[in-house]
Amino acid sequence: MKQIYFDHAATTPVDKKVLQEMMPYFNQNFGNASSIHSFGQEALLAVEKARMQVAKYFNANLNEIIFTSGATESNNLAIKGTDRAYFKKEKKKPHIITTTFEHHCVLETVKKMEKENLIEATFINPKKDGVIDVRDIKNAIKSNTILVSVMYVNNEIGTVQPISEIGRMIKSKNSEQGTGDKKIIFHTDATQAVAYFDCNVEKLGVDLMSMSAHKIYGPKGVGALYVKFGLDIAKIQDGGAQEFGLRAGTLNVPGIVGLGSAISMIRNQDSVNTKIRELRDYLVAKILKEIPDSRLNGSKIKRSPNNVNVNFSRVEGESLLMMLSAEGVFASTGSACSSGSLSPSHVLLSLGLKPEETHGSLRLTLGKNTTKKEIDYAVKAIKKSVEKLRKVSGNVLKDYYKNKS
Amino acid sequence: MYSKKVLEHFTRPHNQGVIKNPSGVGMVGNPTCGDMMKIYIKVKKDVKKREVISDIKFETLGCASAIATSSMITDLAKNKTLEEALKITRNDVAEALEGLPPIKMHCSNLAADSLREAVRDYRDKNKK
């Protein structure tokens, strides 16, 4: 059976070359990077090479890259670490601004801190097209605002946020008189942006930036946090002094090697992106043309080249995924029925969609090896599955609204 | 995560469709939660003058378990007397499907409720 993987925003396969570079660090050069002997030093060398590779991609310095277990940890460290460092100094409750459609690892972190009365929080809603308006962030800034956290690319609908614009706004706010010592720190979760958008920290004007290896053909369980030199952030995990004292725990050497290798392999970004974008546009056009009552969620233009998120009315997403899986097409949905919590996608709700409008969503995310042939096959399978499920649902939705009115 | 039986009924649902001039119709669920089910029944009297479900069909908008439970209940209720049909519980449906994921036991296991609504609708219409 055909196997068409259209879920690259969930995770990607480890690239063969990346895997090859990782292999020796499992059982040959297996040393602990903190050990003084040559086994340890060899591991340390590999870690430092990876740090250089990541720093180069971000246009950062070596001492600004902290290896973590992935984007969830990076985001936790960025947000909680910023709050802790501030509180230690000021003993005051700070204010944090984020958005309503962040990944759960940012959203839940901020919500929990708010609930525990550690911070005040403001959650900015994106516009209907899934893009944050920088003016909304600006207007939310208060005298005790210490952190703004806005994701670079939304993981569900792929919309790209005006990070450098926000960066500039924060910079000018910070240089205004009267802010004194307290500067607003700018964090972005760039997990879905790496490989598709410019992640030059200087150009973006960010102080903190999170990423994860497994979204870019690297291994799972490893990521990084860029921490601008001189930034005051506190550790959130106690133990050894690894990672400039910011992240205790034995370094995941093979994983870090894999991350460095994966990020160094991102080359010819523009031409790869153009190819993926062309395929994506072809896929969107084909779906909207061939399947009635379908629509695209999120901006068509301000969007990651690899992301499609469409909605089919009178179809439920989990059913659609299962039917597609049986056809060998693997995708994802924001339907409540597919989530562990049985609540509809907070991202789709943030666009102003009603709960009933979120159930029929389908996310297809392409990868560097996606072909036109795969897309043609997938559209055929989607069309067939949607038709079948619409037949099963019949007029039930129409009858419901008829009875109600 | 789904049993083989659920997948069978999901991919090839039994008795899917509409009955023209049904004796009773039951609809449960709402679009907010995502699962909506409509059951149509045709009731006839058998030789012993008992009221029997001679035909049953369904339309369902929802997840795989919602569709599978709808399909299963039509199998369980067909040719049963109304009394027998009313005794079918959510658990009976889940068991006949070789189990449902725990999280789906409540939200998507609406078929028994829908059938009961259809019987009630039939009885309301035929009150003397």
Side-chain angles (χ1 to χ4, degrees):
Chain A
M1 193 183 73
K2 267 204 169 63
Q3 294 214 317
I4 298 175
Y5 185 79
F6 275 175
D7 206 9
H8 290 85
T11 195
T12 55
V14 175
D15 187 280
K16 266 189 197 146
K17 265 168 80 184
V18 171
L19 183 62
Q20 229 170 34
E21 289 190 30
M22 288 170 69
M23 287 311 273
Y25 294 94
F26 282 104
N27 59 357
Q28 290 170 36
N29 310 335
F30 60 86
N32 185 327
S34 300
S35 299
I36 300 298
H37 51 66
S38 66
F39 267 86
Q41 293 308 297
E42 215 170 327
L44 182 62
L45 224 73
V47 167
E48 291 315 310
K49 183 183 166 194
R51 201 185 304 282
M52 207 172 66
Q53 289 165 321
V54 176
K56 191 178 164 202
Y57 186 79
F58 287 171
N59 186 33
N61 295 314
L62 287 175
N63 58 358
E64 294 177 317
I65 304 298
I66 310 292
F67 290 118
T68 66
S69 62
T72 291
E73 190 192 335
S74 294
N75 288 332
N76 269 269
L77 176 57
I79 297 165
K80 290 176 183 164
T82 299
D83 171 58
R84 269 195 195 186
Y86 174 79
F87 191 79
K88 241 192 263 174
K89 259 199 326 221
E90 304 288 332
K91 306 278 178 226
K92 275 192 300 202
K93 196 157 112 179
H95 174 237
I96 292 180
I97 300 170
T98 187
T99 76
T100 51
F101 74 157
E102 292 296 310
H103 189 275
H104 281 125
C105 61
V106 167
L107 213 50
E108 293 306 312
T109 300
V110 175
K111 277 186 184 165
K112 191 177 165 207
M113 288 164 71
E114 186 189 29
K115 214 174 152 190
E116 288 173 347
N117 215 13
L118 296 171
I119 58 161
E120 285 175 55
T122 303
F123 300 89
I124 305 292
N125 233 18
K127 300 293 177 201
K128 270 198 160 85
D129 62 354
V131 179
I132 294 286
D133 188 333
V134 61
R135 283 170 300 185
D136 291 339
I137 305 269
K138 194 175 176 184
N139 292 336
I141 292 176
K142 303 202 275 190
S143 61
N144 61 336
T145 303
I146 58 157
L147 178 71
V148 172
S149 179
V150 177
M151 68 197 325
Y152 200 156
V153 170
N154 182 275
N155 52 305
E156 244 181 87
I157 51 175
T159 50
V160 54
Q161 308 308 314
I163 298 303
S164 53
E165 219 180 306
I166 299 171
R168 275 197 300 277
M169 181 273 289
I170 291 175
K171 203 171 181 182
S172 87
K173 268 268 167 196
N174 279 340
S175 62
E176 275 173 26
Q177 284 185 333
T179 52
D181 245 8
K182 187 192 70 67
K183 300 269 189 227
I184 300 166
I185 293 169
F186 183 28
H187 167 244
T188 187
D189 172 6
T191 305
Q192 299 286 348
V194 178
Y196 291 108
F197 293 94
D198 193 350
C199 288
N200 181 329
V201 291
E202 286 291 325
K203 280 196 211 160
L204 294 176
V206 294
D207 303 297
L208 293 159
M209 185 162 78
S210 311
M211 64 88 59
S212 184
H214 74 104
K215 311 285 189 189
I216 55 164
Y217 303 90
K220 292 165 188 64
V222 61
L225 177 66
Y226 159 77
V227 182
K228 192 177 182 156
F229 182 74
L231 197 77
D232 195 11
I233 99 166
K235 62 180 175 176
I236 58 169
Q237 175 168 305
D238 298 310
Q242 289 93 346
E243 299 302 277
F244 314 102
L246 273 181
R247 202 273 184 178
T250 299
L251 294 179
N252 169 10
V253 179
I256 290 167
V257 168
L259 165 55
S261 167
I263 213 164
S264 71
M265 280 174 52
I266 304 169
R267 282 189 207 112
N268 310 321
Q269 207 164 324
D270 286 346
S271 69
V272 175
N273 286 353
T274 304
K275 184 200 132 198
I276 295 179
R277 183 178 288 111
E278 278 171 9
L279 285 172
R280 193 273 315 273
D281 289 345
Y282 173 72
L283 172 57
V284 172
K286 208 167 159 75
I287 288 176
L288 297 184
K289 186 177 152 233
E290 293 190 12
I291 305 175
D293 298 324
S294 55
R295 75 154 202 274
L296 185 71
N297 289 319
S299 168
K300 201 177 166 188
I301 312 144
K302 294 175 183 169
R303 191 180 195 101
S304 176
N306 74 334
N307 177 289
V308 177
N309 190 308
V310 274
N311 221 79
F312 302 104
S313 55
R314 308 193 304 286
V315 168
E316 190 284 315
E318 190 217 51
S319 292
L320 181 56
L321 283 199
M322 290 192 47
M323 216 146 248
L324 286 176
S325 176
E327 299 278 339
V329 176
F330 309 111
S332 141
T333 177
S335 158
C337 308
S338 74
S339 74
S341 60
L342 297 179
S343 44
S345 149
H346 69 288
V347 174
L348 297 177
L349 292 178
S350 79
L351 304 182
L353 296 186
K354 295 191 198 109
E356 56 263 42
E357 292 171 317
T358 65
H359 299 307
S361 77
L362 180 71
R363 182 186 75 175
L364 303 156
T365 41
L366 316 187
K368 60 182 180 183
N369 298 319
T370 299
T371 64
K372 189 161 176 264
K373 230 172 131 185
E374 285 183 329
I375 290 178
D376 287 334
Y377 179 88
V379 174
K380 230 185 253 170
I382 295 166
K383 194 176 170 190
K384 188 173 138 193
S385 302
V386 168
E387 276 169 6
K388 197 168 166 191
L389 288 169
R390 279 182 177 163
K391 195 179 148 250
V392 173
S393 74
N395 287 318
V396 72
L397 200 61
K398 215 167 91 193
D399 293 350
Y400 176 85
Y401 286 115
K402 202 162 68 193
N403 288 354
K404 275 205 92 178
S405 60
Chain B
M1 73 172 209
Y2 282 123
S3 72
K4 230 173 115 186
K5 205 89 195 164
V6 170
L7 294 179
E8 260 173 49
H9 279 264
F10 167 62
T11 44
R12 283 186 203 78
H14 304 170
N15 305 305
Q16 198 281 316
V18 182
I19 296 177
K20 275 187 188 163
N21 306 315
S23 315
V25 178
M27 178 144 83
V28 293
N30 68 69
T32 311
C33 80
D35 288 331
M36 294 173 69
M37 236 170 244
K38 194 169 181 181
I39 300 244
Y40 301 80
I41 54 171
K42 193 92 193 167
V43 179
K44 279 190 181 147
K45 293 229 165 91
D46 69 358
V47 281
K48 294 179 190 162
K49 301 257 165 126
R50 295 181 308 180
E51 289 168 304
V52 170
I53 296 177
S54 62
D55 197 9
I56 177 165
K57 289 225 150 75
F58 82 90
E59 288 180 313
T60 293
L61 169 62
C63 67
S65 64
I67 292 173
T69 52
S70 311
S71 166
M72 180 50 83
I73 204 140
T74 61
D75 280 359
L76 294 177
K78 207 167 191 174
N79 299 321
K80 296 272 161 60
T81 66
L82 295 186
E83 275 65 36
E84 286 166 335
L86 285 172
K87 281 186 194 141
I88 302 171
T89 65
R90 285 178 169 213
N91 266 336
D92 295 336
V93 178
E95 259 168 46
L97 286 168
E98 293 163 4
L100 285 175
I103 197 164
K104 301 279 184 181
M105 278 302 283
H106 293 287
C107 69
S108 309
N109 193 359
L110 299 169
D113 305 7
S114 187
L115 174 62
R116 226 164 287 142
E117 282 295 306
V119 172
R120 199 176 57 96
D121 178 51
Y122 163 75
R123 285 186 169 162
D124 281 353
K125 281 182 189 156
N126 293 279
K127 260 186 202 155
K128 280 161 200 158

